[in-house]
Each structure stands twice: as C-alpha cells, then as structure tokens.
Amino acid sequence: MEFLIKALQLILSLSILIILHEFGHFFFAKIFKTRVEKFYLFFNPGFSLFKLKKGETEYGIGWLPLGGYVKISGMIDESMDKEQLKQPPQPWEFRSKPAWQRLLIMVGGVLINFILALFIFWMILFKWGDSYVPVDGAKYGYSYHPIGHEIGLEDGDIILSIDTFEVETISDVVHYILLEEPESFTVQRGDSVFRLPVPDGLGQRFLSGGVKQFAQFRIPFVVDSIISGMPAEEAGIKKGDSLIAVSGTEAPFFHEFVAELNKYTGDSTIISFYRDGVLMSLPVLVNKSGKIGIAPKSPSNYLEVKTHKYGFFEAFPAGISKGVSVLASYVKQLRLIFTKEGMRQVGGFGTIGSLFPASWDWLSFWTTTAFLSLILAFMNILPIPALDGGHVLFLLYEMVTGRKPSEKFLEHAQLIGMILLIALLLYANGNDIFRWLSE
C-alpha cells in the first residue's frame, strides 16, 4: 500500500508538471499562429492509450511515461520528422517565424514551470503557513547518525551554529555541510556550550554513506494507541504507558527503543515501562517485521513548533522568496554530481517517488510538486541539445550572429542530445535498481 500511495502521488505530480510544461510551448505557439500537430502526455511510440483530434491538433496520452511533448510544425524535435522539413517553409511553421517568437515558444514550458512553483509556494504559505521546529525547540535534543557519533557528537546534543552560520532548523545542518565544507560546530550539551571541529570531507562521507537523515528528534516513547490483535495488546500494554527498556537495556527514547526491539525480531523479550508512575515489565512477542503493534504519541507533544501565518497578499512575496531560495540551493547542490560519491546518488523515478510521503498528505504533495517543478524548469533550460535550453542556445546564436544553424546541424545536435538523455535516464534508474537490490 505504501508503494502504491507513493506511485500515485508521483504519477499525479509529474502529470501536472508535464501537461503545464507542454502547455507553455503550446500557448506561445498559438499566440504566434504556429501550427501544433500533437499535444501528448507521455510518449506514444507505436500507439496511444487515448487520442482525440480537435482542430489541427491531436491530443492524447501515450503509454511510455517518460515525459510528454508537443509536435510543432516545421520544428526539429524528438519526433525527428525530416520529411516535413524537405518541403518549402509554410507561414504557419515554426521555422518561418521570427527568431524572437521561436525563442518565446521554446522558453514557454520553462516559464510556466517556474511560475507554477512560485504559485504553489504562495498558496502553501497562505493555506498552511510556514511551520518548523527551531533547533532549541527540541526539548530532548537530537539523535545522530553513526557518522555524527564518530566526529564527537552525542545523542541529546544540539548544534547551535556551523562556523558563523546560526542554525535555524536541524535540516540546515546537512545542507550546510554538503555545500560549504564547514570547519566547526558550536554544540550545546546539557548546560555547556563548546566548539567541535568538523573533519575534512564530511559532506563526501554523507554522500558515499547514503546518509538520508543525519539527525532526528529525540522523543520519549509514550504509547498513544494499541493495534488490535497485535502482540502488545495480548501482552497487556496500554495507552499511556511510557516504554523505557528492552530486555534490561535502557531505551527511554523512541529511536533507541525501536533499535533495541529489532534485535528480537521473531522472538520474545521483556519490555519495561512506567504506568501511573509505577515501574512494570511484561514479556512481549516481537513479530517477524520487528513490530509489536503500538503507536507513539506525536512528536508535536514534545517539540516547540513555530508557525508563521500569512495573509493572501503577504504570502505572495514570501512564496517568491521561498521558491528562489529552494532553486538556489538546488543549483548549488548540482556541483556534487561531478564527484564520484555524488554520481552514485543520482537517481531516477524511484528516487523521485521516495520524496513523497507514505501516506497521502496534501501539504507534502504540493511542496514536493513545487520542488519538482523548479527542477524541471532548471534542467530543461540547460544548454543541452534535445532540451529546451539547447534550442534556446541555437536561437540566441542566430539572434546574435544573424545566421541560422543549418537544418542538418540541428538534426545531428538533436540526435546527440537524445542519446545523452537516454544514457542519463538509464544510468539514473539503474542506480535506483542497484540500491533496491542492495537493501
């Protein structure tokens, strides 16, 4: 069920982004009276799942979910329709339009995706506001990845700053480490504050180790609900019990308790807990999934959550600022791809799908969709043949020099670009499959 929910969110999100991206090209083509022969969600080599002819345009859904396209008359695109280009140019064709009009047609998709992302961030801030847990809002501190323990951090520590950068939320830590190569942390441990040196290459260790969560909130494990028919109910554990140990090993916090419990998967163990201030212990069977059938109280019970609410117009500039900030951070992270460890983290549809939550949540869905819209806009504007940016590059050359690249050159460039993109697609999704098989 978790896989299905993520898959549905991925399909819906990409469908929205692809349709609106292609609509951007379609919109400007229609403004400049350029004929659009096809408008497709997904590719349709051989056959279409659905198609409808309206006017001069065929609208349809393909069977190959690797993107979408609009086929514009007189343009060298992924269809590689050379026969049309052998005929004399017609006034409704792309190649007959002035360079500035062709430029707007080509950037239309990127423009729509960028505007869409800013609009989504605007609406998110208006409806939900901006909620976050400040670093000092974690009452019990944080638990850290083993790499954090190796460099001197202890569970319960709070990272207050990195070099001169003051940490606002714990997610700032990984971003800063990956992008800035810091020299030291300022750490609060209990009542003391001290400086902790950061070893060189920590960001590369994060990448090579596939670290997805460097730090997480430490919260007590207080039972909020019991799943009927599961071992916890049969053992006599009740709502409100505060779990503190597994088989005599102290584990007063949720992540510690779960880690200890997993050691007894498929076996029985003794769980210790407080009930109404009285210490008690009960034998419990841990099923083959490492579960006993209990859910903890929400982390919000132990964390100080700050929420900034926005009015409709106030959310507009805040949404633009958020979108620009997200895009700038993404662009900075792209340099990591050119490292050995970074290349290993490149992923395809599996990686994209993992960005969505396991249960349907509209806030998470729209936040992820806005992020993907920015990525789609940026990646498409890169000056690579077969992408919008490749066409834009050749158009800018034409506008500056007054000379149009030959159709034969554009055909070869399109073919090379498509080969590069297919190779990247295979590599990225191959990485996903390799990681899945290695788990």
Side-chain angles (χ1 to χ4, degrees):
M1 180 60 74
E2 178 179 321
F3 172 81
L4 180 61
I5 292 174
K6 287 192 174 188
L8 288 174
Q9 290 180 91
L10 174 64
I11 293 170
L12 176 59
S13 178
L14 291 184
S15 296
I16 292 170
L17 298 181
I18 292 167
I19 289 172
L20 290 178
H21 177 90
E22 300 306 334
F23 176 76
H25 298 307
F26 179 88
F27 175 76
F28 281 103
K30 288 297 185 180
I31 284 180
F32 301 126
K33 295 180 170 56
T34 308
R35 180 172 295 175
V36 179
E37 299 176 13
K38 293 184 178 182
F39 188 129
Y40 262 75
L41 170 65
F42 306 148
F43 293 107
N44 62 320
F47 68 95
S48 305
L49 297 177
F50 166 83
K51 60 182 179 181
L52 171 68
K53 187 71 177 286
K54 187 174 182 181
E56 63 191 22
T57 306
E58 177 182 297
Y59 301 88
I61 300 175
W63 61 270
L64 187 61
L66 297 179
Y69 70 96
V70 287
K71 187 177 187 306
I72 300 175
S73 297
M75 175 183 169
I76 298 173
D77 56 15
E78 56 271 7
S79 69
M80 298 301 289
D81 185 357
K82 302 177 184 178
E83 294 302 317
Q84 185 183 67
L85 299 177
K86 292 179 181 179
Q87 308 300 320
Q90 300 298 320
W92 63 78
E93 290 187 331
F94 179 82
R95 55 181 168 163
S96 299
K97 302 301 179 182
W100 69 271
Q101 292 185 6
R102 284 180 278 138
L103 179 64
L104 286 175
I105 291 172
M106 292 316 306
V107 300
V110 168
L111 184 62
I112 289 293
N113 280 131
F114 185 69
I115 293 174
L116 173 65
L118 299 184
F119 175 78
I120 292 174
F121 281 127
W122 175 18
M123 292 296 100
I124 286 174
L125 292 178
F126 170 61
K127 179 172 178 55
W128 287 286
D130 186 16
S131 297
Y132 66 97
V133 178
V135 287
D136 58 356
K139 181 178 178 181
Y140 299 97
Y142 301 87
S143 60
Y144 295 93
H145 189 276
I147 291 178
H149 296 156
E150 290 177 23
I151 66 174
L153 289 168
E154 296 181 3
D155 288 348
D157 288 350
I158 297 175
I159 301 174
L160 301 176
S161 63
I162 311 174
D163 295 335
T164 58
F165 171 74
E166 290 189 8
V167 176
E168 187 172 19
T169 69
I170 199 64
S171 61
D172 292 339
V173 175
V174 173
H175 290 158
Y176 196 95
I177 291 172
L178 289 174
L179 299 178
E180 306 296 341
E181 298 181 1
E183 296 181 356
S184 66
F185 295 148
T186 299
V187 178
Q188 179 180 332
R189 180 175 297 166
D191 295 328
S192 64
V193 176
F194 61 95
R195 180 177 173 273
L196 180 67
V198 175
D200 294 336
L202 183 59
Q204 293 302 310
R205 287 198 63 191
F206 279 8
L207 291 175
S208 61
V211 177
K212 295 181 179 179
Q213 193 170 35
F214 176 60
Q216 55 184 320
F217 302 117
R218 286 210 309 175
I219 60 171
F221 197 165
V222 178
V223 179
D224 185 61
S225 60
I226 308 289
I227 300 176
S228 179
M230 290 286 281
E233 182 185 52
E234 296 173 0
I237 294 175
K238 297 181 179 180
K239 180 178 180 179
D241 289 349
S242 181
L243 312 184
I244 62 165
V246 178
S247 194
T249 301
E250 291 188 6
F253 295 101
F254 177 76
H255 73 283
E256 298 172 343
F257 191 93
V258 171
E260 284 299 318
L261 199 65
N262 283 332
K263 296 177 181 179
Y264 299 91
T265 297
D267 200 356
S268 294
T269 186
I270 302 296
I271 289 179
S272 300
F273 55 91
Y274 281 101
R275 178 180 295 168
D276 299 326
V278 178
L279 180 62
M280 302 178 66
S281 295
L282 287 172
V284 179
L285 175 66
V286 184
N287 68 18
K288 293 181 179 180
S289 300
K291 311 292 184 183
I292 60 175
I294 52 179
K297 281 190 174 181
S298 169
S300 62
N301 288 284
Y302 311 101
L303 304 173
E304 176 194 335
V305 180
K306 287 189 175 181
T307 301
H308 186 158
K309 292 292 185 180
Y310 293 87
F312 183 76
F313 294 106
E314 183 189 9
F316 177 67
I320 293 176
S321 177
K322 187 174 182 66
V324 171
S325 175
V326 170
L327 178 60
S329 176
Y330 174 75
V331 172
K332 282 185 178 181
Q333 291 180 51
L334 276 184
R335 66 179 174 83
L336 299 173
I337 293 178
F338 301 101
T339 65
K340 181 179 178 180
E341 292 78 8
M343 281 297 293
R344 291 174 180 170
Q345 301 307 311
V346 173
F349 293 110
T351 298
I352 298 173
S354 68
L355 297 175
F356 293 95
S359 58
W360 200 289
D361 177 81
W362 284 112
L363 174 58
S364 296
F365 172 81
W366 287 117
T367 300
T368 304
T369 298
F371 174 62
L372 293 178
S373 191
L374 288 174
I375 292 178
L376 184 60
F378 179 78
M379 297 303 291
N380 262 284
I381 204 61
L382 292 176
I384 299 173
L387 292 178
D388 297 342
H391 292 283
V392 169
L393 177 65
F394 298 139
L395 282 167
L396 291 175
Y397 169 82
E398 178 184 344
M399 295 173 73
V400 171
T401 65
R403 293 179 296 175
K404 186 177 181 180
S406 70
E407 291 180 355
K408 184 63 67 176
F409 171 81
L410 294 176
E411 287 177 16
H412 290 159
Q414 183 77 9
L415 182 60
I416 292 171
M418 289 176 65
I419 292 172
L420 289 174
L421 292 177
I422 291 172
L424 179 60
L425 185 67
L426 291 173
Y427 176 80
N429 286 284
N431 269 355
D432 283 345
I433 294 172
F434 178 79
R435 282 192 288 265
W436 178 67
L437 294 174
S438 300
E439 289 180 354

